[in-house]
Amino acid sequence: MNSLIRFSTRVMRPGSILCRQRCLLDGQASAVVTRFLSETPKSSDLSELVKKDKVVVFMKGTPAQPMCGFSNAVVQILRMHGVDKYTSFNVLEDQDLRQGVKNFSNWPTIPQVYFNGEFFGGCDILLQMHQNGDLVDELKKLGIRSALLDVDNNEQKK
């Protein structure tokens, strides 16, 4: 049992709490039961999460392995612009986080992208801004130079 507890505490999600209770069997306390409970993220906690980096993405899966097409599209758009340093959170690992971020942003879908702690949009907004070139300007405001500017300069030199 102790090895299970040690292993479980290593893989607990941030925000989880450890509860220890005595079980009553036949009216007598006989065993200690350990339970893991996840707290619903508070808006102050989410406010801190979205400020972890210049770019923060709440997505299904991870950047290395997106678990839905929209999350994959966000990852690909960021890659095309050379944005490889950003913080991501896999909402499939925590249903409370998934619902909490939707409530926090008042946006019903995942993925959600935050720039400098401010909600930027979902896949549709990011894609639209990528297509019309506005994403380059938004990244510039963050101090991030879009890799697409380098591609355009190289093509003009040819």
mmCIF file of all heavy atoms in Angstrom, residues 13 16 72 89 91 98 103 110 116 121 139 143 155:
data_model
loop_
_atom_site.group_PDB
_atom_site.id
_atom_site.type_symbol
_atom_site.label_atom_id
_atom_site.label_comp_id
_atom_site.label_asym_id
_atom_site.label_seq_id
_atom_site.Cartn_x
_atom_site.Cartn_y
_atom_site.Cartn_z
ATOM 1 N N ARG A 13 -2.032 15.228 -10.206
ATOM 2 C CA ARG A 13 -2.136 16.467 -10.956
ATOM 3 C C ARG A 13 -1.997 17.642 -10.005
ATOM 4 O O ARG A 13 -2.365 17.556 -8.842
ATOM 5 C CB ARG A 13 -3.507 16.553 -11.624
ATOM 6 C CG ARG A 13 -3.716 15.529 -12.688
ATOM 7 C CD ARG A 13 -5.096 15.711 -13.195
ATOM 8 N NE ARG A 13 -5.993 15.149 -12.188
ATOM 9 C CZ ARG A 13 -7.087 14.465 -12.467
ATOM 10 N NH1 ARG A 13 -7.450 14.300 -13.688
ATOM 11 N NH2 ARG A 13 -7.845 13.980 -11.529
ATOM 12 N N SER A 16 -4.492 18.684 -6.949
ATOM 13 C CA SER A 16 -5.093 17.547 -6.280
ATOM 14 C C SER A 16 -4.743 17.596 -4.801
ATOM 15 O O SER A 16 -3.706 18.103 -4.417
ATOM 16 C CB SER A 16 -4.573 16.232 -6.869
ATOM 17 O OG SER A 16 -4.968 16.107 -8.199
ATOM 18 N N ASN A 72 -4.662 20.138 -33.063
ATOM 19 C CA ASN A 72 -3.567 19.929 -34.008
ATOM 20 C C ASN A 72 -3.374 21.160 -34.899
ATOM 21 O O ASN A 72 -2.241 21.573 -35.158
ATOM 22 C CB ASN A 72 -3.832 18.687 -34.862
ATOM 23 C CG ASN A 72 -2.662 18.362 -35.757
ATOM 24 O OD1 ASN A 72 -1.508 18.414 -35.350
ATOM 25 N ND2 ASN A 72 -2.957 18.038 -37.010
ATOM 26 N N PHE A 89 -1.626 22.977 -21.686
ATOM 27 C CA PHE A 89 -2.295 22.160 -20.686
ATOM 28 C C PHE A 89 -3.233 21.200 -21.400
ATOM 29 O O PHE A 89 -4.038 21.614 -22.240
ATOM 30 C CB PHE A 89 -3.098 23.027 -19.707
ATOM 31 C CG PHE A 89 -2.236 23.937 -18.884
ATOM 32 C CD1 PHE A 89 -2.018 25.248 -19.280
ATOM 33 C CD2 PHE A 89 -1.625 23.479 -17.733
ATOM 34 C CE1 PHE A 89 -1.219 26.093 -18.531
ATOM 35 C CE2 PHE A 89 -0.817 24.310 -16.975
ATOM 36 C CZ PHE A 89 -0.619 25.620 -17.374
ATOM 37 N N VAL A 91 -6.328 19.295 -21.374
ATOM 38 C CA VAL A 91 -7.590 19.300 -20.630
ATOM 39 C C VAL A 91 -8.226 17.914 -20.546
ATOM 40 O O VAL A 91 -9.135 17.708 -19.753
ATOM 41 C CB VAL A 91 -8.603 20.307 -21.224
ATOM 42 C CG1 VAL A 91 -8.052 21.720 -21.182
ATOM 43 C CG2 VAL A 91 -9.006 19.923 -22.632
ATOM 44 N N ARG A 98 -10.878 21.405 -17.696
ATOM 45 C CA ARG A 98 -11.553 21.561 -18.996
ATOM 46 C C ARG A 98 -12.767 22.476 -18.859
ATOM 47 O O ARG A 98 -12.950 23.404 -19.645
ATOM 48 C CB ARG A 98 -11.957 20.191 -19.523
ATOM 49 C CG ARG A 98 -12.587 20.209 -20.885
ATOM 50 C CD ARG A 98 -12.884 18.790 -21.315
ATOM 51 N NE ARG A 98 -13.380 18.735 -22.656
ATOM 52 C CZ ARG A 98 -13.599 17.612 -23.317
ATOM 53 N NH1 ARG A 98 -13.352 16.449 -22.755
ATOM 54 N NH2 ARG A 98 -14.052 17.645 -24.541
ATOM 55 N N ASN A 103 -15.382 28.215 -18.472
ATOM 56 C CA ASN A 103 -16.088 29.216 -17.664
ATOM 57 C C ASN A 103 -15.255 30.486 -17.516
ATOM 58 O O ASN A 103 -15.784 31.593 -17.581
ATOM 59 C CB ASN A 103 -16.416 28.657 -16.280
ATOM 60 C CG ASN A 103 -17.398 27.505 -16.340
ATOM 61 O OD1 ASN A 103 -18.100 27.312 -17.321
ATOM 62 N ND2 ASN A 103 -17.433 26.708 -15.286
ATOM 63 N N ILE A 110 -12.666 24.026 -26.857
ATOM 64 C CA ILE A 110 -11.236 23.790 -26.677
ATOM 65 C C ILE A 110 -10.700 23.474 -28.069
ATOM 66 O O ILE A 110 -11.362 22.753 -28.804
ATOM 67 C CB ILE A 110 -10.992 22.585 -25.733
ATOM 68 C CG1 ILE A 110 -11.648 22.815 -24.371
ATOM 69 C CG2 ILE A 110 -9.521 22.250 -25.600
ATOM 70 C CD1 ILE A 110 -11.024 23.885 -23.518
ATOM 71 N N ASN A 116 -0.112 36.697 -23.449
ATOM 72 C CA ASN A 116 0.173 37.574 -22.306
ATOM 73 C C ASN A 116 -0.957 37.593 -21.282
ATOM 74 O O ASN A 116 -1.356 38.646 -20.792
ATOM 75 C CB ASN A 116 0.482 39.005 -22.766
ATOM 76 C CG ASN A 116 1.933 39.175 -23.134
ATOM 77 O OD1 ASN A 116 2.786 38.347 -22.816
ATOM 78 N ND2 ASN A 116 2.221 40.257 -23.826
ATOM 79 N N GLY A 121 -8.368 33.512 -28.363
ATOM 80 C CA GLY A 121 -9.409 32.854 -29.148
ATOM 81 C C GLY A 121 -9.170 31.367 -29.237
ATOM 82 O O GLY A 121 -8.261 30.820 -28.618
ATOM 83 N N LEU A 139 1.838 38.452 -32.747
ATOM 84 C CA LEU A 139 3.050 37.843 -32.196
ATOM 85 C C LEU A 139 4.129 38.903 -31.970
ATOM 86 O O LEU A 139 4.864 38.841 -30.984
ATOM 87 C CB LEU A 139 3.559 36.736 -33.122
ATOM 88 C CG LEU A 139 2.674 35.491 -33.210
ATOM 89 C CD1 LEU A 139 3.180 34.552 -34.287
ATOM 90 C CD2 LEU A 139 2.589 34.783 -31.868
ATOM 91 N N GLY A 143 6.630 40.230 -28.672
ATOM 92 C CA GLY A 143 8.084 40.151 -28.791
ATOM 93 C C GLY A 143 8.531 38.880 -29.499
ATOM 94 O O GLY A 143 9.679 38.465 -29.368
ATOM 95 N N GLU A 155 11.968 34.428 -50.148
ATOM 96 C CA GLU A 155 11.311 34.279 -51.450
ATOM 97 C C GLU A 155 11.451 35.544 -52.284
ATOM 98 O O GLU A 155 11.572 35.492 -53.496
ATOM 99 C CB GLU A 155 9.842 33.914 -51.250
ATOM 100 C CG GLU A 155 9.651 32.483 -50.776
ATOM 101 C CD GLU A 155 8.198 32.129 -50.565
ATOM 102 O OE1 GLU A 155 7.312 32.966 -50.850
ATOM 103 O OE2 GLU A 155 7.943 31.006 -50.126
#
